[in-house]
Each structure stands twice: as structure tokens, then as C-alpha cells.
Amino acid sequence: MQTAVNKRDSIVSSALVLFAERGYDATTIPMIATSAGVGAGTIYRYFENKEVLGNKIFQEYLNIFTETLENGFPYDESIRNQFHHIFISMIHFTTEHSQALYFIKTHSSAHFLNEESHSSFQGLLNILKSFFDSGKAKKEIKELPSAALIAIIYGAFLELQRLVRMGELEPEAKLLADVEESIWDAVRLHV
Amino acid sequence: MQTAVNKRDSIVSSALVLFAERGYDATTIPMIATSAGVGAGTIYRYFENKEVLGNKIFQEYLNIFTETLENGFPYDESIRNQFHHIFISMIHFTTEHSQALYFIKTHSSAHFLNEESHSSFQGLLNILKSFFDSGKAKKEIKELPSAALIAIIYGAFLELQRLVRMGELEPEAKLLADVEESIWDAVRLHV
Amino acid sequence: MQTAVNKRDSIVSSALVLFAERGYDATTIPMIATSAGVGAGTIYRYFENKEVLGNKIFQEYLNIFTETLENGFPYDESIRNQFHHIFISMIHFTTEHSQALYFIKTHSSAHFLNEESHSSFQGLLNILKSFFDSGKAKKEIKELPSAALIAIIYGAFLELQRLVRMGELEPEAKLLADVEESIWDAVRLHV
Amino acid sequence: MQTAVNKRDSIVSSALVLFAERGYDATTIPMIATSAGVGAGTIYRYFENKEVLGNKIFQEYLNIFTETLENGFPYDESIRNQFHHIFISMIHFTTEHSQALYFIKTHSSAHFLNEESHSSFQGLLNILKSFFDSGKAKKEIKELPSAALIAIIYGAFLELQRLVRMGELEPEAKLLADVEESIWDAVRLHV
DNA sequence: CATGAATGAGCTTTCATTCAT
DNA sequence: TATGAATGAAAGCTCATTCAT
């Protein structure tokens, strides 16, 4: 049972949790309605249909994350610090919206996504790409395709985050620092 | 349209591709039947129902991969060589069954999996865990929880593999070697 | 096309007629839906599945009949009067729910019946058994097993009722009285 | 598993048992095939389709019974003796083909029966009707419609027979004699 | 002749969506 | 504006029937 101030938010956060846990296709509108504490018909007052709901949620959280990432990005600082900012952003965003990044990842090539969702997602990838490109230019990041580097950082982080969410791992400061170091080791150029 | 020698194999490989691409829930029996070039009813001659089909495929490929991994595992050699074996096994297995590891990963906590599937999956995790534990004992692997280390290697590899499959990355020897090095850097203890 | 006040009743009475006429297995959900004037999906809002529908109808009418039988049963009067009460109850119940007793009889050992249905049916048989047992004790009923006596009265009455329903017999007072006498002759002890 | 000399008989007797026990609609062709110890396809070498099989079995046993009844019918003897012949014929026929009369009764107005089956059944009814008519003419049988009298004798006998088949009643000579007397009491004119 | 693997029509059932209240 | 009963299109699944062997 969601306890958001307004019904729209309640629907969105309930749907997010269910989409992340069961997947978009295994989640029914009545499930969302029950979890959000609203009638099934109410969902259609806020979203044209299930597909639109899925896309809206995908984009909404993606945009929040992208903003989190861009907000205060230390372009002038060292690559390592920039990396730290990215990592911290992931942590912060995940703390606020525990299921959002996982939902985005597991559905980033889902059949129901529309053009706008795809390009929103591309926007996120581009930010990361820029970072890696500048890092490679400065000989601080490995000469791997950016897509590969993104895959490593993104894949590793999210798999970890899944373990935390499932209670198999405790997200203590020490662990997070170690994980950050580990991922950094993966992408940085060892001299 | 699948062109396997027998219908069972045809159904299995068609289903694997669709499950990997669209997800289990978004894949319908008629879709599988069409893709496998058989009648919808034929699928039920080989598998009791869709759930059983999902579990069978999950376990079948998981077992092949586990065997691939255990086959000729260089227990007596260095940790780095053991890691190489693991990486190479992933490459080989993925070459043979391009969608299998991705399907396994994306569905490893899916709602339709039965007990046997879960324990088969646990078996795979245990192999990797043993490797990391011995590496940590020898001070060659970072002191991170094994679950976290597995998440890093597994998550990174599969994200990469997805890019290859989608044609966004070319799986040349150089790239693979670099990726292997990158993941190794992520998990090894830097002195 | 049923014209009941509410949809549940409409479904129940439509299903009863079809189950009685064609049998449970030869009756499809779309048939019931059409006859009840509802959508096929609506049936599932009231009954979990076809099996539950079958059992509910079986029990519902069985309970009404059992009540009809027990209501005002003249325990203190003569065996003949008690028999009359039973016969009249059958007539009354059949008048209200023309297909119900026939449906119950033709499906009393059907494969879809659950434990509750079976014991409800047993409850009805027990009432009749008690009657026959007391009649035998008073030397007014033949010394046949109660099951046999029940079979005679039950089988005869329902076969008759079927003929009435199919229009092959007119249920006039004279006929009913004669039939009652005939069945009574079958079970009573002739001195 | 049937052990008839030829496959056709094996199919027929297996189908009869299953049709009687589960009903025509709840009996599948594979069930019959398994029980008859033949391949499912084999059934179609002997019977065009399931409907034809159902009708053939209905008619075949009906004809045997009708012959049993007509064979040695004591037209010249007393009504009571004629009645005895009918009762004994039922017993004999039921001993030979334990499920046949029950199948015929429970399916005598089934949806799959064709014209020929219906008229075969009518033939049986006519024999009984003639008997009752002559009995009424001789003032030895109650002045009830023949259909009603047939219903009584037929319904009572078969309900009884069902109990015997289900093991709830032992078909000893004494019971049979008592039942015969009971049914006779039901139809005879008491002076 | 006999078979049983294969099929698709049609069944049971689900669920996104509508709409009267 | 909010609802949930009602719906029917489409899903999962069964089984009478066919046909290559």
C-alpha cells in the first residue's frame, strides 16, 4: 500500500516497484491499483494505457537520474573525481528510488518502449560516453569502446544494487568504497 | 524460423531466443510455435506447460554452462589462469548459445522459476564463489563479498555480451582480451 | 436469455439449465455467457472457474432441496404421511426449479464434484435413509436396503419428472396422485 | 486394458466402460485407445469419428438388449410372468454387459445421438409400452401413462444397478427377488 | 492394417480497458 | 474526480482428427 501525497505519485511508485520486481509484462493493472490503493479505473485518468504508464515511469526516473548525474558534475576536476561523482550519484539516486535504476536497466530494451524513451536512455549513455571519452583522451581510462566501459560500470553497479535490495549484501560505507574502487580499477588505465 | 534436426530442439532454441529478446512473459506460445515452425499444440507434446518450458530451458542451458565451466578447470594453476578459464568458458558458451547466458541472467529471479531451477543457479554461483574464496585466501583477489565480486564479473560480462549481440560491439580478439583484463583489474588485489 | 435480477443469479440459472440439458462437460462457458446475457469474462468475476461453478450450483440447489424436505417434516405423523411430505417436497421443489433435481441426479457422481458436494449429497441421502429405517422398524416399509429403496423412489420420480419436462407427460393432480401411490406401493410392506 | 479377441470389440467395450463411468464428453479418444490397448489412430479405422463411435455403441447394446427382451418373450403367459421375463432379461443383460444399460439410460437424450439411435431407443420403449398396454387392458397394471410406468421400472432398476456396480449393494438372489417384487408392486393394480 | 506424432479449432481463462454510477 | 463491475480480445491449453511411416 503506497502512501504518496497524491494518487498519481502513488500509482507511479507502486508501478515502479512491481515493474522492477516482476517485470512489466507480469504486472497487471489491478495489481498496481491494489498496491497504490486506488481503483483500477483511476489509473486510466492519469495514464492513457499501460504502455504509456510504462514509458512515463521509464522516462520520469531516467530524467531524475540524468539530472542527479549532471547536477554539480565536476567537469573541472580530475577524472577520478568525476568518476566519484558518477558513483555517488548512483548511490544517491538508488537511495531515493531503490528500484528505479534496476527497472530502467532491466527494461532498457523492452518491447513496449517508444522512441522518446529510447532517446532519453541514449541521453544518459551519452553523458557517460563523454566522461569516458575525456578520460581516454587524458590517458586515464582504458582504451576500450565507451559502450564496453559503460557496460562494465553499469552492469557491475546494478548487479550489486540488486544484491543489496534482496538483502544479500549490506550497503555499508566500507563496502561501497571498496566497490567504487573495484569498478574504478576496471576502467582506469593502469600505468 | 528454426532449422533444428528435431522439433524439441527447434522449440527450445526458438523459445530461448524469444525469452531472451522479449522476456518470458511477453513471449506467447503462438510466437514460439511460429518461430519454431511447429503447431502450437506440438509444444505441449514436449513440455507440460509454458512454466515447465521456461524452467527446462533455464536448467538445460545452466547445466551446459556449469559443465563448460567445470570442464578442465585448472585448479592447480594460478588464480589468474583460473580466471582466464572462467572468462574463456563464458566466451565459448556464449559463442555456442548466444542468448543463453543473457536469458539466464535476466530471468534468474523470475517468478516462474521452480525450486530446481533456483538450486541449479545456486550451483553455478557456488563454483564462482569457491574460486573467489581461494583467490582471497591467496591475497590475489580483493576482500569484497563473493556475491559482490560475482556481480561485477557477471554483470560486466553480460552487459558486454548484450552489446555484441545487438551489433553495437565487434567481438574481436583484442576487445575480448582487453575486457578480460578490465574485469580482472576489477577483482584482483592491487599491491 | 435469462432475465434474473442480478448477474450471478442469471449465470446460475442459465448454467443449471444447460448442465441439465447437455451435461456439464458438453456445456461451454461461452454457451452459459450467451444464455445468461453476460460476457464470458463476467462468469469469472463470480466463480473461480468452471469446476467451482459446477460445484456451487450442485450444492446450492441441493441445500435448497434438503431444506424443503426438512422444513415441516411430520416426524410425529404416520409413515404414509411422512412419505407424502417427501413426495410433495419433490413436487414443490421441482416446480420452483424445474431442472435442479435432474441436474443433481445426473451429476451426483460426476468427475468434477469436490468433497463438499459429495457430503452435501450424502446429507440428502441420510434424510431419506432415516425415513426408511424408521418405516422398516414399524413394519410399514419393505425390508430392502435403504439404498435400494431410495433408488426406487428417487429413480422413479426423476424419470417421471424428465418426461414432464420434455412435454411427454402432463403433470395433472390425478397423475401426480397416481404416481405417488405407485411409488408408495413399491416401497410399502404389503400385508 | 481390454482383452477382447479383436480390436474393434476391444475399442467398443473400453469405450462403453468409459462412457458409462465418465460420460461421453469427459471421455477422450486417447483414453479409449489406452484402455483398449490400441493406438489412437486405430479407432478411426473402425469408426469414422467419436460421434459415430458413440452412436454405434448406443445402438449395438440397445439392439442386444432389445433382442434379449424379445427372445422367448412369453406372450401367452400371465402379465406377472411377462413382467418376470422383462426383469430377468434386465438382470441377464446387465450381468453380461454391466455398464451397457446404464450408459444407454444416461445418454438416451445426449446431444450426440443421431436419428437412428433415437429410433432404436424408441423401439425399446415400444416393447415395454405394448406390455403395459396389454396389462392395463387386463386390469392387472395401474392406469398410469405407459411412459410413467416405464419411467418407474426403468428408473428404479437402473438406479439399483448403479448401486450394485459401485459396490454399495450385493446382488444376491434374495435382493433381486425383493426388488422385482417391489417394482411389480409399483406397477400392478392392487385390488 | 496399425500407429502415434503432429496439428489447429475451439475450449477455459486472464486482463487491459471502458463506462455507468 | 474516482470507482470497480463488466467486457471481449487474446492468451494458455486440450483433444478429435489426420497422415507419414
Side-chain angles (χ1 to χ4, degrees):
Chain A
M1 194 70 72
Q2 278 311 117
T3 43
V5 261
N6 65 76
K7 290 187 190 290
R8 204 202 106 104
D9 287 359
S10 182
I11 291 164
V12 166
S13 47
S14 287
L16 173 65
V17 172
L18 288 162
F19 287 167
E21 278 173 357
R22 310 180 43 88
Y24 172 87
D25 292 294
T27 302
T28 69
I29 295 289
M31 276 179 196
I32 298 170
T34 301
S35 165
V38 302
T42 306
I43 292 175
Y44 288 83
R45 307 208 123 268
Y46 295 95
F47 304 94
E48 253 179 280
N49 54 44
K50 190 184 175 185
E51 210 168 305
V52 166
L53 172 62
N55 279 283
K56 271 275 158 54
I57 293 181
F58 188 84
Q59 290 161 33
E60 219 151 271
Y61 286 103
L62 201 48
N63 291 341
I64 298 175
F65 179 54
T66 303
E67 278 168 31
T68 306
L69 212 53
E70 287 180 322
N71 202 264
F73 194 94
Y75 292 106
D76 305 333
E77 299 184 24
S78 69
I79 290 295
R80 182 63 186 83
N81 279 359
Q82 288 179 20
F83 176 82
H84 181 68
H85 175 83
I86 292 171
F87 191 82
I88 288 295
S89 300
M90 282 176 163
I91 301 282
H92 280 174
F93 180 72
T94 297
T95 305
E96 289 287 310
H97 314 283
S98 76
Q99 318 267 31
L101 266 190
Y102 186 69
F103 164 64
I104 289 167
K105 181 201 164 56
T106 50
H107 292 77
S108 67
S109 55
H111 62 95
F112 66 86
L113 291 188
N114 58 24
E115 201 40 62
E116 195 179 345
S117 290
H118 281 128
S119 69
S120 281
F121 188 65
Q122 203 52 50
L124 169 60
L125 295 186
N126 287 340
I127 293 173
L128 296 173
K129 192 174 181 309
S130 297
F131 161 71
F132 282 121
D133 284 346
S134 77
K136 282 188 275 189
K138 291 184 183 168
K139 301 289 177 201
E140 294 196 50
I141 295 287
K142 286 194 176 78
E143 268 302 336
L144 278 168
S146 289
L149 292 164
I150 292 169
I152 291 168
I153 176 175
Y154 194 51
F157 180 84
L158 278 162
E159 194 61 17
L160 233 3
Q161 199 255 314
R162 193 176 67 86
L163 293 172
V164 169
R165 230 184 38 252
M166 296 181 71
E168 295 182 25
L169 230 51
E170 273 306 305
E172 308 147 22
K174 175 70 167 70
L175 175 69
L176 295 177
D178 286 352
V179 167
E180 179 179 349
E181 203 55 36
S182 173
I183 299 178
W184 174 243
D185 279 340
V187 299
R188 81 176 230 251
L189 190 61
H190 295 257
V191 286
Chain B
M1 194 72 73
Q2 278 311 119
T3 43
V5 258
N6 66 75
K7 291 192 188 286
R8 205 202 107 106
D9 287 358
S10 180
I11 292 164
V12 166
S13 46
S14 287
L16 172 65
V17 172
L18 288 162
F19 286 167
E21 278 173 358
R22 309 179 46 87
Y24 173 86
D25 291 297
T27 302
T28 70
I29 295 289
M31 277 178 195
I32 298 171
T34 302
S35 164
V38 302
T42 304
I43 293 174
Y44 290 87
R45 290 194 53 70
Y46 294 95
F47 305 94
E48 263 178 86
N49 53 46
K50 191 184 172 185
E51 208 167 307
V52 166
L53 172 63
N55 279 282
K56 270 276 158 55
I57 292 182
F58 188 85
Q59 289 163 32
E60 220 152 90
Y61 285 104
L62 199 49
N63 291 340
I64 297 175
F65 178 55
T66 302
E67 278 168 33
T68 305
L69 211 53
E70 288 180 319
N71 203 264
F73 194 95
Y75 294 104
D76 305 330
E77 300 184 21
S78 70
I79 291 294
R80 181 63 185 84
N81 279 0
Q82 289 180 21
F83 177 81
H84 181 67
H85 176 83
I86 292 171
F87 191 82
I88 288 295
S89 298
M90 282 177 162
I91 301 284
H92 280 175
F93 180 72
T94 297
T95 305
E96 289 286 311
H97 313 283
S98 75
Q99 318 266 33
L101 265 189
Y102 185 70
F103 163 66
I104 289 168
K105 182 203 162 58
T106 49
H107 291 77
S108 67
S109 55
H111 62 94
F112 68 87
L113 290 187
N114 59 24
E115 200 41 61
E116 195 180 345
S117 290
H118 280 129
S119 68
S120 282
F121 187 65
Q122 203 53 48
L124 170 60
L125 294 186
N126 286 340
I127 293 172
L128 297 174
K129 189 175 182 312
S130 296
F131 161 72
F132 281 121
D133 285 345
S134 77
K136 281 188 274 188
K138 292 184 184 167
K139 302 288 178 199
E140 296 195 48
I141 295 287
K142 287 193 175 78
E143 269 302 333
L144 278 168
S146 288
L149 292 164
I150 292 169
I152 291 167
I153 176 174
Y154 195 50
F157 179 85
L158 278 162
E159 196 60 18
L160 233 1
Q161 198 256 314
R162 194 175 68 85
L163 293 172
V164 170
R165 227 181 44 247
M166 296 181 72
E168 295 183 24
L169 229 52
E170 271 308 305
E172 307 146 23
K174 175 72 168 69
L175 175 68
L176 295 177
D178 286 351
V179 166
E180 179 180 348
E181 203 55 36
S182 172
I183 298 178
W184 173 243
D185 279 339
V187 300
R188 79 175 232 252
L189 191 60
H190 294 258
V191 286
Chain C
M1 192 72 73
Q2 278 311 119
T3 44
V5 257
N6 66 75
K7 291 192 189 286
R8 206 202 106 106
D9 287 358
S10 180
I11 291 163
V12 165
S13 47
S14 288
L16 173 65
V17 172
L18 287 163
F19 287 167
E21 278 174 358
R22 310 179 44 87
Y24 173 86
D25 290 297
T27 302
T28 69
I29 295 290
M31 278 176 194
I32 298 171
T34 301
S35 163
V38 302
T42 304
I43 292 173
Y44 290 86
R45 289 194 55 69
Y46 294 95
F47 304 95
E48 262 178 86
N49 53 47
K50 191 184 173 185
E51 209 168 307
V52 166
L53 172 63
N55 279 281
K56 270 276 158 54
I57 293 181
F58 188 85
Q59 290 163 33
E60 221 152 89
Y61 286 105
L62 199 48
N63 291 341
I64 298 174
F65 179 55
T66 303
E67 278 168 34
T68 306
L69 211 52
E70 289 181 320
N71 202 264
F73 194 95
Y75 293 104
D76 304 332
E77 300 185 22
S78 70
I79 291 293
R80 182 62 185 85
N81 279 359
Q82 287 179 21
F83 177 80
H84 181 66
H85 175 82
I86 292 171
F87 190 81
I88 287 296
S89 298
M90 282 177 165
I91 301 283
H92 280 174
F93 180 72
T94 297
T95 305
E96 290 286 311
H97 313 283
S98 74
Q99 318 266 32
L101 265 190
Y102 186 69
F103 163 65
I104 289 167
K105 183 202 162 57
T106 50
H107 291 77
S108 68
S109 55
H111 62 94
F112 67 86
L113 290 187
N114 60 24
E115 199 42 61
E116 197 180 343
S117 290
H118 280 130
S119 68
S120 282
F121 188 66
Q122 202 53 49
L124 170 60
L125 295 186
N126 286 340
I127 293 172
L128 297 173
K129 191 176 181 310
S130 296
F131 161 71
F132 281 121
D133 285 345
S134 78
K136 281 188 276 188
K138 293 182 183 167
K139 302 286 177 205
E140 295 196 48
I141 294 287
K142 286 194 175 78
E143 270 300 336
L144 278 168
S146 288
L149 293 164
I150 292 170
I152 290 168
I153 176 176
Y154 194 50
F157 179 84
L158 279 162
E159 195 61 18
L160 233 2
Q161 198 256 314
R162 193 175 69 84
L163 292 172
V164 170
R165 229 183 39 250
M166 296 180 71
E168 296 183 23
L169 229 52
E170 272 307 304
E172 309 146 20
K174 174 72 166 71
L175 175 68
L176 295 176
D178 286 352
V179 166
E180 179 179 348
E181 203 56 34
S182 172
I183 298 178
W184 173 244
D185 279 340
V187 300
R188 80 175 231 252
L189 191 61
H190 294 258
V191 285
Chain D
M1 194 71 70
Q2 280 309 119
T3 43
V5 260
N6 66 75
K7 290 186 192 291
R8 205 201 106 105
D9 287 0
S10 181
I11 292 163
V12 166
S13 46
S14 287
L16 172 65
V17 171
L18 288 163
F19 286 167
E21 279 174 356
R22 310 180 44 87
Y24 172 86
D25 291 295
T27 302
T28 69
I29 294 290
M31 276 178 194
I32 298 170
T34 301
S35 165
V38 302
T42 305
I43 292 174
Y44 288 84
R45 307 208 122 268
Y46 295 95
F47 304 95
E48 252 180 281
N49 54 46
K50 190 184 174 185
E51 211 168 303
V52 166
L53 172 63
N55 279 283
K56 271 276 158 56
I57 292 181
F58 188 84
Q59 289 162 33
E60 218 151 273
Y61 286 102
L62 200 48
N63 291 341
I64 297 174
F65 179 55
T66 303
E67 278 169 33
T68 306
L69 212 52
E70 288 182 320
N71 202 265
F73 194 95
Y75 293 104
D76 304 333
E77 300 186 21
S78 70
I79 290 294
R80 181 64 186 84
N81 279 0
Q82 288 179 20
F83 176 79
H84 181 67
H85 175 83
I86 292 172
F87 191 81
I88 287 296
S89 299
M90 281 177 164
I91 301 283
H92 281 174
F93 180 72
T94 296
T95 305
E96 289 287 310
H97 314 283
S98 74
Q99 319 266 31
L101 265 190
Y102 185 69
F103 163 66
I104 289 168
K105 181 200 164 57
T106 50
H107 291 77
S108 67
S109 56
H111 62 94
F112 66 87
L113 290 188
N114 59 25
E115 200 42 60
E116 196 179 344
S117 291
H118 281 128
S119 68
S120 282
F121 187 67
Q122 203 52 49
L124 169 61
L125 296 185
N126 287 341
I127 293 172
L128 297 172
K129 191 175 181 311
S130 297
F131 160 72
F132 282 121
D133 285 347
S134 77
K136 281 187 276 189
K138 293 182 183 167
K139 301 288 178 205
E140 295 196 48
I141 295 286
K142 287 193 175 80
E143 269 300 337
L144 278 166
S146 289
L149 292 164
I150 292 170
I152 291 167
I153 176 175
Y154 194 52
F157 180 85
L158 279 162
E159 194 62 17
L160 233 1
Q161 199 255 314
R162 193 176 68 84
L163 293 171
V164 170
R165 229 184 39 250
M166 295 180 74
E168 295 182 25
L169 229 51
E170 273 307 305
E172 308 147 22
K174 175 72 166 69
L175 175 69
L176 296 177
D178 286 353
V179 167
E180 180 180 347
E181 202 56 35
S182 173
I183 298 179
W184 174 243
D185 279 339
V187 299
R188 79 176 229 251
L189 191 61
H190 294 258
V191 286

